[in-house]
Amino acid sequence: MDILIKVIQLFLCFTLLVGIHELGHFFMARAFKIRVEKFYIFFNPWFSLFKFRRNGTEYGLGWLPLGGYVKIAGMVDESMDKEQMKQPVKPDEFRAKPAWQRFLVMIAGVTMNLLLAVVIYIGICYTWGDSYFSNNDARWGYNFNDAGHEMGFRDGDRFVTIDGEPVDNIRTLLNDLLITESGRTVVVERGGEQVAIRIPLETLIRMRQEKAYDGLFTLPAPFIVDSVASAAARDAGLQPGDRIAGLDGRTITDFASIREALAEVKVQTTMLTVIRDTDTLSLAAAVDGQGKLGVLALASPYTMRTRHYTFGESIPAGIRKTGEVVSDYWQQLKLIVQPKTRMYEEVGGFVAIGSIFPGEWDWQDFWFKTAFLSIILAIMNLLPIPVLDGGHALFTLWEMITRRKPSEKFLERAQYVGFLILMALLIYANGNDIYRFFIK
């Protein structure tokens, strides 16, 4: 069932993104009175799942979910319709229009994807606000997994800065730590002092390869008294707000470990180490036959911070969020082409994309992921590869600058080269998925 929900979310998201992208090309072409022959969601080699014709345009749904397309009359595109290009130029064809109009048609899909991301982020800010956990609220620091200990962190450390930049939003911390072309210097607060930890690039690469960042750090769960429920606990002097930090001289700070230690000394009296405000107290407390002190523990001492927006405030917030995600993803893309970072090994295909969706339906998460993937689609389409919008736009921009139009034969050959490059990238990305699933 979880897999089915993931597949449905991926299909819905991808259909929306491709549809919006192609609508950008479609509406811009129509605005300049350019004839659009086909409008397809997904590709349709050999056959279509369904199709219909209206106002001279064939609309349809293909069976191959690798994208979508609009077939614009008089344009050298992925359809490779050479016969049409041999015919005399007609006024309603793409090739009959001035370069600036053709350029706008080419970038309209990317523009629509970026606008979609802005609209989604505006909606998220207005509907749910911006929720995050602040590093400043990690009063007892963090617990780290084995990889974190190997990197030099100790349980109880609290992040201060990464390469001199203050740490606040924990949601972005892993990206800030891992996405880099060099090592990182992390300053933590440890025992009231600041300690600098230098993490070399090789360690960060290994962390990404082994996915050791999963559970790298977690918030400790302290035993904090919420209310006193028995006379014995009151006689011991326990009060709401007390934090139990040890038993019989042993330092034990997390809730689960304290419960286990209490079970070992049931029907006895134990000496509790209790933190109350700034004081450390030793209290003798009776443990009953069930290994309990007679107090109710606070469910969670942590709260998420949420900033709520009015509709007017959500507009600049959504634009700002889009800009931040574009900047972060562009940085990642630049690192992928740098061999020393080895981030090219982490490129994934459809399985990797589908895995980012949760196994249960959550509209807020769905829209977050959709906005993120819309930005990825926009940036990837801007790459200067023939067959992608960026390649078409580059050739048109060259024409606008030099006043020389590339020949149709050159554009046809460029399409073939671009198609081969695109197929190679798709095979590599999805091959990585297969390798990680069956081998790693």
Side-chain angles (χ1 to χ4, degrees):
M1 188 63 180
D2 288 355
I3 295 177
L4 178 61
I5 292 175
K6 285 175 177 281
V7 170
I8 292 173
Q9 289 182 88
L10 176 62
F11 183 82
L12 179 60
C13 171
F14 207 46
T15 301
L16 175 63
L17 298 186
V18 171
I20 288 292
H21 182 92
E22 299 305 335
L23 275 176
H25 296 308
F26 178 84
F27 286 138
M28 190 61 72
R30 284 293 181 87
F32 295 131
K33 302 186 185 307
I34 301 173
R35 178 161 39 95
V36 178
E37 298 179 343
K38 292 184 179 181
F39 180 99
Y40 265 79
I41 303 297
F42 303 148
F43 294 121
N44 62 321
W46 304 300
F47 68 93
S48 306
L49 296 181
F50 76 83
K51 60 184 177 180
F52 64 92
R53 180 172 293 276
R54 184 176 180 181
N55 296 330
T57 300
E58 180 183 302
Y59 300 88
L61 177 67
W63 60 269
L64 187 60
L66 297 178
Y69 70 97
V70 288
K71 187 176 186 306
I72 298 175
M75 176 182 174
V76 179
D77 58 12
E78 57 270 19
S79 68
M80 299 304 294
D81 188 352
K82 297 180 181 179
E83 292 304 316
Q84 184 183 73
M85 303 307 292
K86 294 177 182 179
Q87 303 300 318
V89 178
K90 298 178 181 178
D92 62 352
E93 290 185 343
F94 179 81
R95 54 182 171 168
K97 303 300 178 178
W100 68 270
Q101 290 186 6
R102 286 183 274 119
F103 180 79
L104 291 179
V105 170
M106 285 298 96
I107 66 170
V110 168
T111 303
M112 286 290 283
N113 281 126
L114 292 176
L115 287 176
L116 176 63
V118 170
V119 170
I120 291 175
Y121 283 131
I122 289 173
I124 290 173
C125 289
Y126 180 66
T127 305
W128 292 287
D130 189 11
S131 297
Y132 69 99
F133 181 78
S134 173
N135 179 62
N136 296 325
D137 295 335
R139 289 172 286 174
W140 303 285
Y142 302 90
N143 292 335
F144 295 85
N145 64 11
D146 291 341
H149 293 151
E150 184 183 341
M151 294 164 67
F153 296 110
R154 297 182 187 173
D155 291 345
D157 286 353
R158 188 179 70 85
F159 300 105
V160 179
T161 62
I162 297 179
D163 287 349
E165 293 295 324
V167 175
D168 181 24
N169 189 345
I170 292 302
R171 190 171 60 197
T172 64
L173 188 142
L174 280 178
N175 264 359
D176 295 339
L177 181 65
L178 297 174
I179 307 304
T180 177
E181 57 184 308
S182 59
R184 290 294 200 197
T185 298
V186 182
V187 175
V188 299
E189 185 181 281
R190 178 182 298 168
E193 298 181 352
Q194 291 194 354
V195 178
I197 301 173
R198 176 65 183 171
I199 307 173
L201 177 62
E202 293 74 19
T203 300
L204 296 176
I205 291 173
R206 182 160 48 83
M207 275 189 63
R208 294 199 305 264
Q209 292 174 330
E210 299 174 358
K211 295 191 180 298
Y213 50 79
D214 287 340
L216 175 65
F217 59 90
T218 56
L219 287 166
F223 193 128
I224 298 177
V225 177
D226 184 47
S227 61
V228 179
S230 72
R234 281 191 291 272
D235 292 342
L238 288 168
Q239 298 178 10
D242 286 350
R243 177 166 65 92
I244 300 175
L247 275 76
D248 295 328
R250 292 183 294 161
T251 299
I252 309 175
T253 58
D254 67 283
F255 178 84
S257 298
I258 291 173
R259 287 293 303 273
E260 290 176 3
L262 288 171
E264 295 173 0
V265 295
K266 58 186 177 183
V267 200
Q268 299 181 43
T269 297
T270 185
M271 293 300 298
L272 301 177
T273 301
V274 175
I275 309 297
R276 181 179 296 163
D277 297 326
T278 58
D279 298 326
T280 302
L281 309 175
S282 292
L283 303 178
V287 183
D288 66 18
Q290 295 180 318
K292 296 182 179 180
L293 292 170
V295 299
L296 296 178
L298 190 65
S300 175
Y302 306 107
T303 55
M304 294 286 287
R305 297 190 182 191
T306 301
R307 179 178 177 183
H308 297 284
Y309 299 88
T310 65
F311 182 74
E313 292 171 336
S314 67
I315 294 174
I319 295 172
R320 182 172 61 252
K321 180 64 177 176
T322 303
E324 291 171 355
V325 176
V326 168
S327 176
D328 289 345
Y329 186 70
W330 184 251
Q331 176 67 19
Q332 293 182 45
L333 203 59
K334 289 193 296 183
L335 294 178
I336 287 174
V337 298
Q338 296 185 28
K340 69 175 183 178
T341 68
R342 297 179 66 176
M343 284 192 65
Y344 56 86
E345 297 177 359
E346 298 165 51
V347 173
F350 293 108
V351 173
I353 295 173
S355 67
I356 73 173
F357 290 100
E360 56 187 21
W361 201 279
D362 181 333
W363 278 112
Q364 183 179 5
D365 183 80
F366 172 79
W367 288 118
F368 258 119
K369 301 293 173 51
T370 299
F372 175 64
L373 292 174
S374 190
I375 289 171
I376 291 179
L377 182 61
I379 293 177
M380 294 302 293
N381 265 283
L382 272 181
L383 295 178
I385 299 174
V387 89
L388 294 180
D389 296 343
H392 289 296
L394 181 64
F395 292 141
T396 307
L397 191 61
W398 170 261
E399 177 186 346
M400 292 167 64
I401 295 172
T402 64
R403 306 291 182 181
R404 296 176 58 189
K405 186 176 182 179
S407 68
E408 290 176 3
K409 184 168 288 293
F410 170 81
L411 293 176
E412 288 176 5
R413 290 174 177 171
Q415 284 291 111
Y416 283 120
V417 172
F419 182 78
L420 291 174
I421 294 173
L422 188 59
M423 286 299 102
L425 291 174
L426 285 172
I427 292 170
Y428 176 76
N430 288 282
N432 273 351
D433 284 345
I434 296 171
Y435 174 75
R436 282 191 288 263
F437 186 80
F438 289 104
I439 300 177
K440 292 193 73 172

